[in-house]
Amino acid sequence: MTENGAVFPDGEIRAEGLPGDLTAVESGMWQAFRDGSVYDLRRGDPLVDDPHGRHPWGPERTVRARVVCWLLLDGPPALAGRVAALKLLGVRVAGPLDLAGGTVEPYVEMQDCRFDEEVLLPETRFTTVRLENCAVPRLEAARLHTEGDLHLPRCRFARGIRLSDARIGTDLLLSQAVVGHDRHGRSLSADGMTVGQDLQADLLESHGELGLRSAEVGASLSLRGARLANPYARFALNAPQLTVGRALYLTPAGIGTGQPGGVTPARGIRVQPFECLGGVRLDDGRFGDSVDLRAARFDLSSEQELSLRRVQTPELRFLPVRPRRGRVVLSGARVGNLVDRAESWPGPGRLHMGGFAYENLVPQGPFTLAQRLDWLAAATPEYSPEPYELLATVLRGGGEDEDAREVLLAKQRRRRETLPPAAKVWGYAQDIAVAYGYRPARAAVWMAVLWAASTLLFSRADPKPARGDEHPSWSAALFSLDLLLPVIDLGHATAWHLHGVWQWLASVLIMLGWGLATAVAAGATRLLGRH
């Protein structure tokens, strides 16, 4: 039998138009649904009304899950001039709420409700669903589709949430939710999920792996002030190939009555940082605006890592508290602006940046060139020229030519340690002479020192003319200069002969001149090649 198209399970209709097997509480819900009004069963006592508390809720606050499903899938029409909607406050739902594969047209909003068993929504279609501050054993919603929002703020899910391949039309809200883990150790399984606009999970508390593999978020993904814990597995946040249209925020959140503004929180607001106990994987992620790690805290084991391999974003704000253990991996990442501070980076052996590329450096606070070189050395336990050349290019692009030369000099010194002994000795000679060509003025200093010293020595010599009376007047200064300059012939080195120790000194001076000239030529070649 039907009433206005609604099929009743027991085939009986009461005089007032209600199905015959409904309890008084369910009858009230039925009428509120047709009227589109709020059905509030709260008692006004915070302890009694707390859906997460231990106070029992009896039949006076209980509706059967199958009746809720009946209303949503094939409920009665709305009263004249009203819109049918399910709006429940302080209601206990007994039995599994199973809407799998169904299409739910009415608006759904449930607040401060308690579910005895899991909520099953796989492949279900909704307009908008709002569950706020509800106690749910588990939400099973793979391939869920909503035209509007899915709101789950302040809810507690004892055995996790599954939203794999779900399609959320606008926003997904998980702010202040508490999510336990399922039998596989996952708190949120949302691989392949698509969110049309924002995914807001501020102050989320996750116990298990939060999985967002290949997920897509149209606007921003916010985990401000969230606490993720999965210390005994590999990852607490596992989100490779994540695509975010705008920004990813792993930053602090303000808790209090005021609204935070700027960097300094308003009075009365307590700041809670983003905390992650366990590894983080954001490999191959694409972020339209930025990845913000300001003041984030990563508590890693020695085997865990903060992995941003091959990430692409216009701006990376690497400003976390320095991890005490574990690794930071940026291999293959591509960023525009690298906003960082010296105190945020880990030490040698715990930083990997092979193939990491950035276009601009925007240090926050003091970050000296020596610290930047230590940063490169920490990231390259084995010598690699690319990180040094990239840093020099970026510094030169910012007008810091002197610093760029210092970086390239550091590259040559680092390379020298990998060479065989003979090449290493020649490297030291180039470094001492002209700093591998990056300090050309040093050649003139060495030339002047050698010229002055040799002039003083040869002023005591007793040379013999090489060609009888045809010779210029003896000049120790011109003779020394002629020996030092290997290309230019001043006519003095060939006009006079020296004997004994003076001949050896002349040979040493010639060798020093050639060595100095060769070092200058090698440095000039590097400079010309670089430009």
Side-chain angles (χ1 to χ4, degrees):
M1 184 179 295
T2 65
E3 178 189 12
N4 297 325
V7 180
F8 304 142
D10 60 354
E12 178 184 352
I13 302 177
R14 294 179 182 175
E16 61 271 24
L18 298 175
D21 71 337
L22 298 186
T23 66
V25 175
E26 293 168 347
S27 297
M29 178 179 66
W30 184 280
Q31 297 288 14
F33 174 84
R34 297 191 65 190
D35 188 49
S37 60
V38 175
Y39 191 52
D40 190 353
L41 297 181
R42 294 176 298 182
R43 296 292 184 262
D45 185 338
L47 293 178
V48 174
D49 292 335
D50 183 6
H52 316 296
R54 296 184 178 181
H55 195 283
W57 290 4
E60 73 283 358
R61 300 183 66 163
T62 301
V63 298
R64 288 168 292 173
R66 69 179 185 88
V67 177
V68 175
C69 295
W70 178 14
L71 282 174
L72 294 177
L73 295 175
D74 194 20
L79 298 177
R82 307 295 294 179
V83 175
L86 185 68
K87 302 177 182 179
L88 304 180
L89 274 72
V91 175
R92 173 190 169 209
V93 180
L97 185 66
D98 189 352
L99 296 168
T103 298
V104 178
E105 296 182 358
Y107 172 83
V108 180
E109 180 175 349
M110 304 177 75
Q111 182 176 342
D112 299 333
C113 292
R114 182 182 292 177
F115 293 81
D116 287 355
E117 300 184 38
E118 60 186 14
V119 176
L120 304 172
L121 306 178
E123 301 188 28
T124 308
R125 301 181 67 88
F126 284 92
T127 51
T128 293
V129 182
R130 286 186 169 92
L131 302 181
E132 182 174 349
N133 194 35
C134 294
V136 185
R138 176 171 173 79
L139 175 60
E140 182 68 45
R143 298 174 298 283
L144 170 74
H145 182 96
T146 70
E147 296 179 11
D149 298 339
L150 174 60
H151 287 196
L152 305 170
R154 298 190 294 124
C155 289
R156 296 187 183 182
F157 302 91
R159 300 195 302 275
I161 302 172
R162 185 180 181 192
L163 287 169
S164 304
D165 298 309
R167 298 292 182 267
I168 311 302
T170 50
D171 296 335
L172 171 59
L173 268 62
L174 284 165
S175 298
Q176 302 183 60
V178 179
V179 188
H181 61 79
D182 61 15
R183 60 181 180 175
H184 302 293
R186 303 187 183 102
S187 59
L188 173 63
S189 297
D191 300 343
M193 178 181 66
T194 299
V195 179
Q197 296 183 16
D198 293 326
L199 196 169
Q200 297 182 11
D202 299 342
L203 303 171
L204 170 71
E205 187 174 322
S206 168
H207 301 275
E209 181 185 289
L210 196 158
L212 291 168
R213 301 176 186 85
S214 302
E216 297 182 13
V217 179
S220 295
L221 196 168
S222 176
L223 285 162
R224 294 181 175 95
R227 292 178 172 174
L228 314 182
N230 196 23
Y232 304 113
R234 190 174 180 187
F235 299 111
L237 174 58
N238 192 10
Q241 298 181 333
L242 172 65
T243 301
V244 178
R246 297 178 64 183
L248 169 65
Y249 296 101
L250 307 182
T251 57
I255 304 174
T257 56
Q259 292 296 324
V263 176
T264 304
R267 185 176 181 180
I269 292 181
R270 179 173 63 87
V271 175
Q272 177 171 306
F274 170 85
E275 297 179 344
C276 185
L277 180 59
V280 175
R281 181 166 67 164
L282 296 171
D283 299 348
D284 300 294
R286 302 292 182 269
F287 305 90
D289 286 349
S290 64
V291 175
D292 195 344
L293 307 180
R294 177 172 51 89
R297 298 181 180 179
F298 299 98
D299 190 352
L300 309 174
S301 70
S302 300
E303 294 75 28
Q304 293 172 335
E305 57 188 29
L306 168 59
S307 178
L308 295 100
R309 292 176 174 87
R310 299 174 297 280
V311 161
Q312 295 186 20
T313 179
E315 184 166 284
L316 172 60
R317 300 170 192 159
F318 195 87
L319 304 168
V321 177
R322 175 182 292 169
R324 294 178 299 172
R325 295 170 297 180
R327 297 178 297 274
V328 174
V329 184
L330 284 162
S331 302
R334 297 286 186 272
V335 305
N337 297 327
L338 176 58
V339 183
D340 64 347
R341 64 167 56 95
E343 296 78 14
S344 293
W345 295 103
R350 297 173 48 221
L351 177 59
H352 302 272
M353 300 195 305
F356 175 43
Y358 49 91
E359 298 175 6
N360 300 293
L361 289 172
V362 188
Q364 300 294 296
F367 208 142
T368 65
L369 181 60
Q371 289 175 313
R372 189 64 76 179
L373 291 174
D374 289 341
W375 172 67
L376 282 188
T380 53
E382 296 184 359
Y383 167 71
S384 175
E386 288 80 8
Y388 290 90
E389 292 169 357
L390 174 61
L391 178 57
T393 300
V394 171
L395 291 174
R396 192 180 298 114
E400 301 178 41
D401 291 340
E402 181 62 30
D403 286 350
R405 286 193 290 271
E406 290 295 326
V407 171
L408 293 174
L409 175 57
K411 181 192 78 169
Q412 292 296 333
R413 289 171 174 168
R414 186 84 185 278
R415 173 179 174 271
R416 182 176 64 208
E417 302 306 315
T418 67
L419 299 177
K424 188 177 295 186
V425 170
W426 174 236
Y428 277 111
Q430 292 188 77
D431 194 356
I432 294 171
V434 290
Y436 288 95
Y438 298 112
R439 295 174 185 168
R442 186 181 292 182
V445 174
W446 277 111
M447 183 67 74
V449 170
L450 290 173
W451 187 23
S454 58
T455 298
L456 181 61
L457 289 172
F458 287 124
S459 64
R460 301 180 181 181
D462 184 18
K464 303 296 181 182
R467 293 183 297 274
D469 295 335
E470 295 180 8
H471 59 81
S473 300
W474 169 252
S475 171
L478 290 176
F479 183 80
S480 299
L481 188 60
D482 204 0
L483 294 175
L484 280 171
L485 298 176
V487 179
I488 301 173
D489 185 4
L490 300 179
H492 278 257
T494 57
W496 299 94
H497 281 171
L498 297 175
H499 301 280
V501 69
W502 300 108
Q503 190 175 13
W504 285 102
L505 288 175
S507 299
V508 169
L509 195 61
I510 291 172
M511 293 175 62
L512 290 174
W514 274 105
L516 188 61
T518 305
V520 171
T525 301
R526 271 190 292 272
L527 289 172
L528 292 173
R530 204 168 61 246
H531 292 289

